[in-house]
Amino acid sequence: GNHSSGKSSFINYVLGRDVQTAGVAPTDDCFTVIAPGPVDTDQDGPALIGDPDMGFSQLRQFGPTLIHHTQLKVRSQTNTSSFMMIDSPGMIDSPMNQSGMGSGSGSSSSIMDRGYDFQGVVRWYAERADVVMLFFDPDKPGTTGETLSVLLHSLGGMDHKLLIVLNKADQFKKIHDFARAYGSLCWNLSKVIPRKDLPRIFTMCLPVKNPDGQGNASSIGAGLADLHQTRDDVVAEVMKAPKRRIDNVITHLNDSVHLLLMHAQIVQDVQKRYSKLLWDNRVQELASLTAGVGLSTIGVYAQLPMEFTGAAAAVTILGVGGLKWFNNSKLTETEAQLLTMEELSASFQRTHQREISEADEFTASVWQRIREQLQASLKVEGLDNSPSVSQGELDELRRILDVDIPKLRRLASPSHFGSKG
């Protein structure tokens, strides 16, 4: 979330002790991993990411700048003992990118802003998290472009575990101010959420002690008990993270198998078309070679002049060599054509005709997610070197989707009406 939106204060509130430094100005430029432990210890980024047991080693892919802007805090005597919490740097638009809306993950502007792919790092963490919270505050209710860009590019498809929080609602002096801030947040969210229905916005506040020792007084929050109830609801969602872990793991497995299955189906289709042309070329070359050798053999047995036999052999060698060169050139052109986005889309349409005819939006969304990575991987590997996919392997992936994952869902879900024993 935005800087000074209450991220660190909320973490301190959930943990039951002051771990993060909170303030109006940006106080931290690191991703901070907060883990429960027997004693208080700190580790820097290289030690954390280099630890093979902590599970953060894949962050190396984002470069040394991120590594040196990551830290671990192990804290004892906290209210949480079974999960970690991640505090992200506050989002601020740089002078070079005030809108923040036009840059996707990995863009040059995002790298220029922080020295690493901030949106990519957020997505890496979010994919592995069980609860993701996006904080806004009354001063910047959704107007920070980087925050909206992260919501659009990094948190897409994670609605099931995303909580949008408008914090510090007790700071409003008048209900009119609250209405304007809430409306502004909804308006800005509507720009990046392509749906008519906006997700729930948790409007809450944290306990703040005034100099006289009293809590949230002399503000609109003093008379709104539902702000405190909403805060308790948000904390309850955070505390349910361990229970949601199993569901999220199964969801991630289901998502990964769908991606892999579509990837394999399209690769199989492209390889079949490429192999057909390859074998047609080989048959042509073999037929030309057989005809030349046969003609030369006839010349020898018929005791024709050596000039005829030699000429036949020379024509055969030149013809087969020329045909092979032509076929290889044509094959290279065909491979490049097969790997264009238009041809890959045609392969998707051939392999998923039923889903397309039924307007299956889930299948369409999976294709949108893999199309660029699929094209890039095939171009790097080449169709000759890409592993082939057997029908048995495709059937095994379908069995996982149709049998194993539903079985896992039944084991993980609570008993309810209609559930199978």
Side-chain angles (χ1 to χ4, degrees), residues 202 254 419:
F202 291 85
N254 181 70
S419 61

Side-chain angles (χ1 to χ4, degrees), residues 26 63 69 104 108 112 127-128 145 151 252 275 284 322 327 363 387 400 421:
H69 285 79
S108 60
M112 184 177 297
E127 287 175 343
R128 291 155 178 78
L151 180 59
H252 181 69
S275 298
Q284 291 178 5
N327 285 342
T363 300
I400 294 174

Side-chain angles (χ1 to χ4, degrees), residues 30-216:
C30 293
F31 281 91
T32 304
V33 180
I34 305 169
V39 295
D40 292 1
T41 57
D42 293 344
Q43 270 191 338
D44 57 23
L48 170 64
I49 294 176
D51 190 330
D53 298 325
M54 290 296 292
F56 296 94
S57 58
Q58 292 184 19
L59 288 172
R60 288 194 187 96
Q61 63 183 295
F62 296 102
T65 303
L66 171 69
I67 294 176
H68 295 294
H69 285 79
T70 303
Q71 60 181 342
L72 169 67
K73 294 183 179 180
V74 178
R75 293 294 181 266
S76 62
Q77 298 179 349
T78 63
N79 295 335
T80 61
S81 60
S82 56
F83 61 89
M84 298 178 180
M85 301 187 76
I86 313 292
D87 192 8
S88 68
M91 300 181 193
I92 311 173
D93 285 341
S94 69
M96 299 187 66
N97 182 24
Q98 287 293 332
S99 68
M101 293 293 297
S103 59
S105 177
S107 65
S108 60
S109 59
S110 63
I111 295 176
M112 184 177 297
D113 284 342
R114 296 185 185 268
Y116 58 89
D117 181 8
F118 179 75
Q119 295 178 15
V121 175
V122 171
R123 184 161 190 88
W124 188 93
Y125 276 111
E127 287 175 343
R128 291 155 178 78
D130 297 299
V131 179
V132 181
M133 304 180 64
L134 184 61
F135 276 78
F136 296 95
D137 70 81
D139 292 333
K140 296 170 288 295
T143 56
T144 299
E146 187 177 36
T147 306
L148 296 178
S149 186
V150 164
L151 180 59
L152 177 64
H153 299 291
S154 302
L155 302 180
M158 302 188 189
D159 304 33
H160 62 289
K161 57 182 177 180
L162 176 63
L163 307 179
I164 298 178
V165 178
L166 178 60
N167 198 20
K168 301 183 180 180
D170 57 325
Q171 294 184 358
F172 294 108
K173 301 299 181 181
K174 299 179 181 179
I175 195 68
H176 175 73
D177 296 331
F178 169 77
R180 291 188 63 180
Y182 192 88
S184 177
L185 176 57
C186 292
W187 171 257
N188 283 282
L189 290 177
S190 68
K191 297 178 182 178
V192 294
I193 298 178
R195 299 192 308 274
K196 291 183 178 180
D197 299 321
L198 288 177
R200 178 184 177 185
I201 299 175
F202 291 85
T203 306
M204 70 173 209
C205 63
L206 298 174
V208 177
K209 292 295 183 181
N210 293 320
D212 58 3
Q214 299 298 319
N216 308 68

Side-chain angles (χ1 to χ4, degrees), residues 7 32-33 59 64 66 85 149 160 169 173 180 207 217 259 271 273 295 318-319 323 333 352 354 362 372 380 409:
K7 302 185 302 298
T32 304
V33 180
L59 288 172
L66 171 69
M85 301 187 76
S149 186
H160 62 289
K173 301 299 181 181
R180 291 188 63 180
L259 293 172
Q271 286 181 331
R273 298 177 65 196
L295 190 61
L318 292 175
L323 182 61
E333 294 177 5
H352 296 81
R354 181 177 61 82
F362 176 78
E372 294 182 359
V380 170
R409 289 289 190 195

